[in-house]
Amino acid sequence: MKADVKQLLQRLNPWLNQDAATQFIDCSSYLPRLQTQALGQPDWDDACLILLGPRQTGKTTLGKLLAKQVIDSGRFSQLLYVNFDYLEFRQWASVPLFLDEAIKHFSLNSPVIFLDEVQRLNNPGLLLKSLVDLQMPIKLIASGSSQLEMRSKVQEYLTGRNLTATILPFSYEELGEQKEERIIYGCYPRVTLHTKQEQILASLYQDYIHKDIIEILKVGKPDVIQKLIGLLAHSSGQLVNYNQLANDCRITIPTVQNYCDILEKTFVITKVTPFVGNKRKELVSNPLYYFIDNGFRNQALREFSPLDSRQDVGLLIESTVFQELYKFRA
C-alpha cells in the first residue's frame, strides 16, 4: 500500500488509530430515516447494501449509522470507510485484493467496509461482485449518487447479491414538522439544518453540474442542460413539449429526451406518464415532470420569494404533495 493511501485512510478513519477515542458518527444530532430499521436487519448481512440517491441527502451518514448498529449488535467489529471521490483511492482499487491491504494494516477482524461514491470507479459493479464472491467475513456497504451510473455499472453484476435503498431528501414525516419555508427551500438535510439556505442550494446545484454532469457523466454541453433544467422548472407539473424544448435549447428532440433521462437518473426530476386508459397510448404520450425537491427547482429559477407573492404557489404545493408520495413509495 502506497504511503499516500495509508495517510488518507488514517485521516478518514481516525477511530481505527491505536487508542483513538474518536467515534465515526455522532448520533445525538442524527435525524432517523424511515429505512433505518429495515436496512439494519441481520437478514441483509450477507448482501451488499447499496445506498442510492442524490448528493447530500445523508447517504454517508446513514451508512455510518447502519455500520454502528451492526457493530453494536456484535455481528461485526469495526468500520473501514473509503471514499472514491479521492483519486488516490480510485487508483488503489485497481489493485486486486486491495481491501486485504487495509484489513491487515489496521488489523481488522470482521469489519464493515463502507465504499462511498463507488460510481466514480471505472467498473464498480465488477469490483463489488468480486468482493461478494470472495465471501470475506465483512459487511459491505456502497453508496452512489447516480442511477445511470449505478444501475449500468453495479446492479447488473450483483443480481441476487444486493439490497438497494433510495435515500431522498427528508420527508415531512422524518422532519416531524411542516413549515412554509420547506415548500420554498425544500428538504435537503443541510438546507433544513442551516439558516443560509439559498447559499447552500446554490452550492448543491453547482456541485451537481460540475461533478455529476461534467466530471462523471461527461455531458458535452453543460450550459444546454442547465438551460433545460430551467425550462423544465418553469413547466414543472405540465405535459412536456419536447419539440418546444428542443427549439428553445437549439438541440434535437432525441437529445432533449436523453438529457431528461439523465436528469431523472441523477435524481433531479421524475417522470409521470398520463393515465389515458390505454397502455399503448400512455407509452407514446408526452409525460410530465416533477422536481424531486422544490429547493432544487427554485434554485434553477433563482426564485426564493415568499409564497404570498408568488404566481406558482399552487404548483409548489402540488409538487410538495407529489414529492411526499414519491418518498413514501421509495
Side-chain angles (χ1 to χ4, degrees):
M1 189 190 305
K2 292 183 178 179
D4 58 345
V5 173
K6 287 183 181 180
Q7 291 175 359
L8 192 53
L9 277 174
Q10 289 170 341
R11 180 156 61 87
L12 292 180
N13 296 268
W15 51 86
L16 294 180
N17 297 331
Q18 288 187 350
D19 300 323
T22 306
Q23 298 295 316
F24 53 80
I25 184 171
D26 179 10
C27 295
S28 62
S29 58
Y30 177 75
L31 193 61
R33 307 306 299 262
L34 295 179
Q35 304 105 313
T36 304
Q37 183 174 359
L39 296 177
Q41 294 297 317
D43 296 346
W44 307 117
D45 283 352
D46 294 334
C48 176
L49 173 60
I50 298 176
L51 303 178
L52 196 61
R55 291 185 178 276
Q56 299 187 35
T57 52
K59 299 186 299 298
T60 300
T61 302
L62 178 58
K64 288 183 175 180
L65 180 77
L66 292 170
K68 184 177 187 306
Q69 286 185 353
V70 299
I71 289 171
D72 288 347
S73 70
R75 307 200 306 268
F76 295 90
S77 57
Q78 301 127 315
L79 169 67
L80 176 68
Y81 175 73
V82 179
N83 189 329
F84 288 115
D85 269 337
Y86 293 94
L87 176 61
E88 294 90 340
F89 286 154
R90 297 200 295 273
Q91 294 172 337
W92 176 49
S94 64
V95 179
L97 299 177
F98 73 103
L99 280 182
D100 271 359
E101 296 181 347
I103 290 172
K104 291 177 182 177
H105 176 70
F106 288 108
S107 300
L108 302 179
N109 180 32
S110 298
V112 177
I113 307 295
F114 185 4
L115 305 179
D116 212 354
E117 302 295 348
V118 295
Q119 83 277 358
R120 301 297 303 273
L121 296 170
N122 290 330
N123 202 334
L126 185 59
L127 170 68
L128 294 176
K129 178 182 181 297
S130 299
L131 294 175
V132 172
D133 288 346
L134 286 172
Q135 297 184 342
M136 301 168 66
I138 62 174
K139 167 64 180 175
L140 193 58
I141 301 175
S143 82
S145 56
S146 167
Q147 293 187 76
L148 194 65
E149 294 291 287
M150 293 292 284
R151 287 187 174 164
S152 64
K153 291 183 176 180
V154 175
Q155 292 177 319
E156 64 180 277
Y157 288 98
L158 291 174
T159 302
R161 299 179 176 90
N162 77 94
L163 170 67
T164 300
T166 304
I167 313 303
L168 298 171
F170 284 135
S171 66
Y172 280 5
E173 182 178 353
E174 289 169 328
L175 289 169
E177 56 184 356
Q178 299 181 13
K179 294 182 178 180
E180 180 178 305
E181 65 179 27
R182 303 279 184 254
I183 299 176
I184 300 171
Y185 295 106
C187 296
Y188 274 87
R190 284 185 60 206
V191 174
T192 64
L193 297 173
H194 291 79
T195 56
K196 297 183 178 180
Q197 295 164 316
E198 292 182 33
Q199 292 93 323
I200 292 172
L201 281 167
S203 174
L204 180 67
Y205 185 85
Q206 290 305 315
D207 278 352
Y208 168 74
I209 296 297
H210 289 292
K211 290 186 177 180
D212 286 349
I213 297 301
I214 298 176
E215 186 177 345
I216 299 176
L217 297 179
K218 302 187 186 306
V219 175
K221 297 180 179 179
D223 54 332
V224 175
I225 207 166
Q226 287 189 74
K227 184 175 184 179
L228 179 61
I229 294 173
L231 292 170
L232 289 170
H234 276 291
S235 60
S236 178
Q238 304 173 29
L239 287 175
V240 68
N241 186 329
Y242 288 122
N243 185 58
Q244 185 62 54
L245 289 173
N247 289 335
D248 291 340
C249 293
R250 298 184 179 181
I251 53 178
T252 64
I253 292 176
T255 302
V256 168
Q257 293 172 326
N258 178 51
Y259 283 179
C260 286
D261 186 59
I262 288 173
L263 293 173
E264 187 173 9
K265 295 295 175 55
T266 51
F267 301 99
V268 173
I269 57 177
T270 187
K271 178 170 63 178
V272 179
T273 54
F275 178 75
V276 294
N278 182 298
K279 200 64 181 177
R280 185 178 184 280
K281 289 184 178 179
E282 285 183 23
L283 292 173
V284 299
S285 297
N286 285 352
L288 54 85
Y289 289 101
Y290 284 103
F291 276 69
I292 287 178
D293 185 79
N294 277 351
F296 204 96
R297 172 191 180 267
N298 289 333
Q299 174 60 40
L301 295 173
R302 310 296 194 272
E303 173 60 83
F304 294 101
S305 301
L307 290 181
D308 57 9
S309 63
R310 299 182 67 125
Q311 295 182 344
D312 61 351
V313 60
L315 172 61
L316 287 174
I317 294 173
E318 177 186 333
S319 297
T320 299
V321 173
F322 173 81
Q323 290 154 10
E324 289 302 296
L325 293 172
Y326 183 75
K327 292 168 187 175
F328 178 78
R329 188 194 68 173

